[in-house]
Amino acid sequence: MDTANEAEIREQTTERLEKAMGTFGTAALASMEQQLPWFRRMPPDQRSWIGLVAQAGIAAFVEWFKNAEQTRPAIAGEVFGTAPRELLRAIKLQHTIDMVRVIIDVVETRLGELAAPGGEPQLREAILRYTRDVAFGAAQVYARAAETRAAWDARLEALVVNAVLRGEVDDGMHSWAAALGWTSKPVTVIAGYTPEDEEPEVTIDQMQLAARRARVDVLAGVQGRRVVVIVGGADEPLEAARPIAAKCGPGPVVIGPQVDDLYGSTVSARAAMAGLRAAAGWPDAPRPVPAGELLPERALDGDDAARRYLVEEVYNPMLAAGAPLLDTLTTYLEQGSSLEATARLLFVHPNTVRYRLRRVTELTGLAPTDGRNAFTLRIALVLGRFGYRGSHTGSHT
């Protein structure tokens, strides 16, 4: 506790501080103008806010010193509460520390003038304690702002993902994405499952970290056990998906088709989600697997886009090429992929069968001699014979 003499010195020092208080802010701003390049680059309104912060900090210090430092100063409210929230976004924590250092230097250069005779050690010690509290207070303010921003960004991110899944990709959704800094093109959607016994926030954080390492942008959302990731800026979607798939839980990870931008992301999302539902039909599917490689399973599962693609892009080109091509493919598949048996039943040379099968590959991109492709072709033949038309909502797979 202060002795009577210390109390008298404190009172005299306080009077000097109160008289000089008006000049502190001006001197501090002039010093910042000289020493801090980032301060010189700031617009006038933001420099004015910093002046208010400096004045508030000095006034709070004088009041705290006057009351014999009996309570911990309410730094966050008294100092940082004077400026608008925009200041926190404009000034980094390191800049705030630079400001505090400059203000301390200004006060210390006038220590002999401000302190009453014999009061310099008392004032110097008070300044050190107060600036320590300012530093802690600044860190707390920035930490709370970062937490609030992170929570808001996470909610906005979830809203964007939900809008993409619902097909509500409008200008409003683009505004949300823009608020998150999203400008990436092209776009791919990945669907998988979350790891067991892991919080959704942890899963998303791990995926975002993996995406940064892969130099792509992501927006992610968790719905129940499913995790949906919108990937932007990937030249090779499959390669970009690998590190993200590694953060998913057990089960398939499906990559939707690449689209031009966020407006087309619903098409990619629908294909990825349809593939995720149908992937159980192909237990040995690679991980991650493109949705286009799950066309037969998706078609059997009722996916309209997959059925339409198999008819329009696989069956119809063969149909247009003539009945012999379809007859050859049908017979070849029914005869267990035997060239000789197919040639005998069709009364043609095996080389003719080979030629027609190559023609099928040229028209559809699917080789009948490959077991997986043969399965896809068989489903396309069945759907084509059904005369399947389906609805027309897009052609991506």
Side-chain angles (χ1 to χ4, degrees), residues 100-117:
V100 173
R101 177 178 52 77
V102 169
I103 294 172
I104 292 170
D105 290 343
V106 169
V107 175
E108 286 189 332
T109 56
R110 300 180 60 182
L111 203 62
E113 171 193 341
L114 296 171

Side-chain angles (χ1 to χ4, degrees), residues 70-95:
Q70 292 177 356
T71 59
R72 183 181 179 87
I75 300 299
E78 293 181 18
V79 178
F80 297 98
T82 59
R85 289 184 180 180
E86 286 81 357
L87 191 63
L88 291 178
R89 291 195 287 270
I91 302 177
K92 299 177 182 178
L93 178 58
Q94 182 60 49
H95 293 166

Side-chain angles (χ1 to χ4, degrees), residues 199-219:
E199 292 295 326
E201 294 81 5
V202 175
T203 300
I204 291 175
D205 286 345
Q206 291 292 323
M207 289 180 173
Q208 289 174 335
L209 179 60
R212 284 196 294 272
R213 288 172 177 167
R215 297 186 178 181
V216 296
D217 295 324
V218 299
L219 299 172

Side-chain angles (χ1 to χ4, degrees), residues 46-221:
Q46 291 184 357
R47 283 190 287 183
S48 175
W49 293 339
I50 291 175
L52 292 175
V53 171
Q55 290 283 11
I58 293 166
F61 168 72
V62 173
E63 186 64 25
W64 176 72
F65 184 82
K66 181 179 180 179
N67 292 324
E69 311 164 30
Q70 292 177 356
T71 59
R72 183 181 179 87
I75 300 299
E78 293 181 18
V79 178
F80 297 98
T82 59
R85 289 184 180 180
E86 286 81 357
L87 191 63
L88 291 178
R89 291 195 287 270
I91 302 177
K92 299 177 182 178
L93 178 58
Q94 182 60 49
H95 293 166
T96 304
I97 294 171
D98 290 342
M99 282 170 39
V100 173
R101 177 178 52 77
V102 169
I103 294 172
I104 292 170
D105 290 343
V106 169
V107 175
E108 286 189 332
T109 56
R110 300 180 60 182
L111 203 62
E113 171 193 341
L114 296 171
E120 286 190 18
Q122 185 187 63
L123 181 57
R124 183 178 288 107
E125 184 179 346
I127 290 171
L128 290 175
R129 285 202 298 270
Y130 184 78
T131 51
R132 178 198 62 191
D133 285 338
V134 167
F136 281 123
Q140 290 172 351
V141 168
Y142 277 86
R144 284 197 296 269
E147 288 175 0
T148 301
R149 179 66 179 174
W152 172 249
D153 284 355
R155 177 161 177 76
L156 207 55
E157 193 171 351
L159 287 173
V160 171
V161 172
N162 288 340
V164 168
L165 291 176
R166 291 195 303 267
E168 299 172 358
V169 184
D170 53 16
D171 290 340
M173 191 219 69
H174 271 69
S175 296
W176 298 342
L180 293 167
W182 180 274
T183 57
S184 299
K185 300 177 183 180
V187 171
T188 306
V189 178
I190 301 171
Y193 294 102
T194 58
E196 297 177 3
D197 302 323
E198 184 173 279
E199 292 295 326
E201 294 81 5
V202 175
T203 300
I204 291 175
D205 286 345
Q206 291 292 323
M207 289 180 173
Q208 289 174 335
L209 179 60
R212 284 196 294 272
R213 288 172 177 167
R215 297 186 178 181
V216 296
D217 295 324
V218 299
L219 299 172

Side-chain angles (χ1 to χ4, degrees), residues 298-334:
R298 288 166 53 193
L300 292 172
D301 192 49
D303 179 22
D304 186 73
R307 290 179 173 181
R308 184 174 58 255
Y309 183 90
L310 288 174
V311 172
E312 295 178 357
E313 305 297 330
V314 178
Y315 178 79
N316 286 348
M318 293 189 294
L319 180 65
L325 200 67
L326 282 177
D327 290 342
T328 300
L329 175 62
T330 301
T331 305
Y332 177 77
L333 294 175
E334 290 176 349

